[in-house]
Amino acid sequence: MKLLRSLALAARPVQPEPHFRAQQFSRIYCLTAAGLFALQAIVAMLGALDLVIPDLPSPIPFEYGRAIHLGLAEMWPLIATMGMVYFFVTAELKREIYSPRLARWQFWLALAFTLSIYGTLALRIGNGREFLDGLPVLYLGLCSTLAVAVYNLLRTLLASGKQVTPAAVTMTVGMVFLLLLLLPNTIHYSNPIADEATKFWVVHLWEEMAFELTSAGFIAAFFITSGIAVRSQVEKWLYLEASFAVAAGLYSTGHHYYWIGFPAIWLAIGSLVSLLQVIPVGMLVHMTYKGLKAAKLTSKREKLTLWLVLSSLFYHVTGASLLGLLITVPWVNLYMHGTYVTSGHAHLALFGSLGFVVLAGCYYILSRGSEPSSRGYKAAVVAVVLLNVGLVIMGSALIVAGTLQSYLWRFLGNSFMQVSAVINPYLILRVLGGSLFALGDLLLFGVLFGAWRQTKAHPVGKP
Ligand code: HEM
Ligand code: HEM
């Protein structure tokens, strides 16, 4: 608590900016998301320990703990994204959201349904759907919150007329896709292929299309305000990024389809279109590199946001695009499917590219109107370093464990138990990496909480 207080007091208020109520609410979305992220590290550490110390006493069986962990992995970025989209759409359009009241209700509903999903899973009430375990009615509830967001955002865009910007449109379209892709997951399918396909619309298309659009909109808005890139240049990239994300995202889902029972043509479509996903990421890296050479950031707040965005870009290229491409190759996937390599890719891609960018947005929003002190800045840099080092150790250990599994178990046909003994040291290494990651997670939460406390006392732009 003392540390949190010192991080909070250390931030200094700066120049006032215009005040919009939607931007004020977006803070509570971001703070809640950061809290759920901190909770996730604790749940995850227990799960990782359970894999290396069998029969570890736990009130929740491993499969339900895993389901809660996966639920957290989807839900805190979702809640943060809702807040980020309200914040940056308002900032881009320079006007209040259509209904701030609806935005506030949406938050409470989203929180209630999210906590109900975790609560029921902790009570062992679920339906066994990986990534979307839990009562379908609760997911319908989440859809209702997304529907509120979509309505609120579309009404705002309509009211803005010619002032609408590409970043605002891209983020809104991302929210529309989040809703449309989750909706089919609220009903029961007796056909297992239909059930798996709709699951991948969330596991794959949420991440590689819908969140890609909301994150690209945020990065564009951040680059423009911080002077890393000029609006015309960013907007050109944004159009291309958005078109690629939608086209490549939709068809590259095919790399999952063949393995769940779709015709073989999907294997070719999925693999070839997956190649295209690398292009917009490469362009973003190029633009960032050019911008960083030209612009020198002086604000520590912007520098920290940039560190988080750069971390995300790194994993976007490595853990998501390159590793994703490797495991997409049909002859590789045949052996590596469902091994720890997938888990390595899932952590590097989901937290690496999406988690970091969402945390960048949350930090930027929560610290608005203040600058970190050198102590607060150092603490935040340590947190980012711990998260990165922890993630790289975790990801590498999982990739080695998964490669051994693929070779010894799938290729040579050794028994599952023999292979488990061989990979155990790498799972212990994952626990060590996870511990560093969890430390970074808790420290970053402290930084975000400190920023929130400090700026709570000086709401930006309020007369
Ligand atoms: C302290 C850090 C973490 C640890 C120790 C950890 C540990 C685990 C464990 C034990 C599992 C289940 C078994 C396995 O697949 O290995 C798992 C699965 C998973 N975790 Fe984490 N996790 C951490 C952080 C995160 C974060 C921050 C995210 C994303 C926001 C995440 C996303 C996932 C996903 C998507 C899976 C499923 C992987 C698959 O499909 O095989 N994890 N994690
Ligand atoms: C932000 C980007 C990405 C995220 C967040 C992400 C996340 C995930 C997650 C969570 C899984 C585990 C699914 C499961 O266990 O059923 C997965 C699997 C997979 N991903 Fe990605 N991914 C991303 C990008 C990519 C890209 C760009 C490619 C290909 C170029 C790709 C190819 C694959 C493949 C082939 C699998 C299935 C692995 C298996 O068969 O076990 N991913 N991804």
Side-chain angles (χ1 to χ4, degrees):
M1 202 59 206
K2 207 175 147 204
L3 176 73
L4 288 182
R5 207 170 299 128
S6 71
L7 289 175
L9 292 174
R12 289 186 304 274
V14 292
Q15 285 295 310
E17 292 170 41
H19 174 76
F20 296 114
R21 283 170 72 200
Q23 294 192 329
Q24 206 49 34
F25 299 148
S26 61
R27 291 162 52 82
I28 187 76
Y29 282 93
C30 291
L31 189 68
T32 306
L36 291 176
F37 172 50
L39 174 70
Q40 187 187 21
I42 297 162
V43 175
M45 280 307 294
L46 293 176
L49 275 173
D50 199 47
L51 283 175
V52 287
I53 312 174
D55 305 324
L56 195 73
S58 157
I60 302 174
F62 182 82
E63 62 275 22
Y64 283 100
R66 185 178 190 272
I68 294 175
H69 177 56
L70 296 195
L72 282 161
E74 300 282 4
M75 254 47 116
W76 72 258
L78 176 68
I79 292 181
T81 297
M82 287 176 172
M84 274 166 67
V85 170
Y86 275 136
F87 185 94
F88 287 101
V89 165
T90 316
E92 277 285 294
L93 303 180
K94 298 187 181 56
R95 64 179 299 143
E96 185 57 274
I97 207 80
Y98 168 70
S99 168
R101 230 172 123 195
L102 272 181
R104 193 206 290 258
W105 273 104
Q106 180 197 330
F107 167 75
W108 291 112
L109 282 175
L111 185 65
F113 286 116
T114 303
L115 293 182
S116 305
I117 292 174
Y118 304 148
T120 44
L121 285 174
L123 295 172
R124 305 174 194 200
I125 303 169
N127 58 0
R129 286 188 90 211
E130 202 190 15
F131 287 92
L132 292 163
D133 206 346
L135 299 174
V137 67
L138 298 176
Y139 288 94
L140 191 62
L142 271 185
C143 283
S144 72
T145 67
L146 281 166
V148 170
V150 166
Y151 174 74
N152 217 353
L153 290 165
L154 287 177
R155 290 296 300 254
T156 313
L157 289 190
L158 282 175
S160 303
K162 285 193 178 144
Q163 281 171 331
V164 162
T165 66
V169 175
T170 307
M171 285 185 270
T172 305
V173 174
M175 293 299 285
V176 173
F177 277 126
L178 285 174
L179 169 64
L180 294 180
L181 296 164
L182 183 62
L183 212 49
N185 284 282
T186 54
I187 45 176
H188 171 74
Y189 300 90
S190 47
N191 180 335
I193 301 179
D195 186 63
E196 278 288 297
T198 45
K199 180 196 93 177
F200 276 114
W201 292 351
V202 171
V203 176
H204 177 102
L205 281 173
W206 256 27
E207 325 300 355
E208 289 168 56
M209 185 170 79
F211 278 131
E212 197 79 30
L213 295 179
T214 53
S215 306
F218 152 64
I219 293 179
F222 168 63
F223 277 14
I224 294 166
T225 32
S226 59
I228 294 176
V230 286
R231 185 174 277 280
S232 57
Q233 197 188 1
V234 174
E235 289 182 347
K236 258 190 252 154
W237 162 76
L238 194 59
Y239 280 129
L240 226 88
E241 156 76 15
S243 325
F244 266 109
V246 175
L250 277 176
Y251 289 97
S252 64
T253 319
H255 61 226
H256 296 289
Y257 285 166
Y258 171 74
W259 307 102
I260 59 173
F262 275 54
I265 182 75
W266 278 103
L267 198 57
I269 298 175
S271 307
L272 290 176
V273 179
S274 293
L275 282 169
L276 297 181
Q277 290 188 295
V278 184
I279 299 172
V281 182
M283 284 174 53
L284 176 62
V285 173
H286 177 70
M287 194 175 69
T288 314
Y289 175 71
K290 264 178 52 186
L292 288 181
K293 264 184 34 182
K296 284 269 172 287
L297 293 186
T298 47
S299 148
K300 282 188 186 141
R301 169 178 172 246
E302 286 178 352
K303 276 189 198 164
L304 268 180
T305 311
L306 184 67
W307 280 122
L308 290 162
V309 171
L310 288 179
S311 304
S312 158
L313 280 185
F314 172 73
Y315 297 104
H316 220 130
V317 175
T318 53
S321 302
L322 296 178
L323 185 56
L325 213 54
L326 174 75
I327 57 175
T328 299
V329 177
W331 301 276
V332 175
N333 201 315
L334 187 63
Y335 293 100
M336 283 192 164
H337 173 77
T339 61
Y340 278 111
V341 176
T342 307
S343 183
H345 164 67
H347 285 92
L348 292 168
L350 193 55
F351 179 76
S353 54
L354 178 65
F356 267 123
V357 81
V358 159
L359 288 172
C362 286
Y363 173 72
Y364 189 78
I365 291 170
L366 290 172
S367 61
R368 184 181 182 225
S370 70
E371 271 290 311
S373 65
S374 32
R375 183 151 179 229
Y377 183 70
K378 271 187 209 142
V381 171
V382 172
V384 177
V385 170
L386 282 172
L387 283 172
N388 273 293
V389 174
L391 185 60
V392 168
I393 296 178
M394 267 204 300
S396 316
L398 287 169
I399 291 170
V400 176
T403 309
L404 286 170
Q405 269 186 319
S406 314
Y407 181 67
L408 300 173
W409 181 35
R410 296 269 168 78
F411 188 73
L412 293 184
N414 288 342
S415 81
F416 182 80
M417 291 316 286
Q418 274 175 323
V419 178
S420 292
V422 176
I423 64 172
N424 206 36
Y426 300 98
L427 297 184
I428 295 175
L429 189 61
R430 188 261 287 271
V431 174
L432 296 177
S435 314
L436 295 181
F437 182 94
L439 273 179
D441 180 339
L442 296 176
L443 189 55
L444 191 68
F445 173 70
V447 169
L448 291 170
F449 186 75
W452 172 77
R453 266 173 70 113
Q454 170 65 24
T455 47
K456 190 170 75 125
H458 308 274
V460 175
K462 224 175 179 177

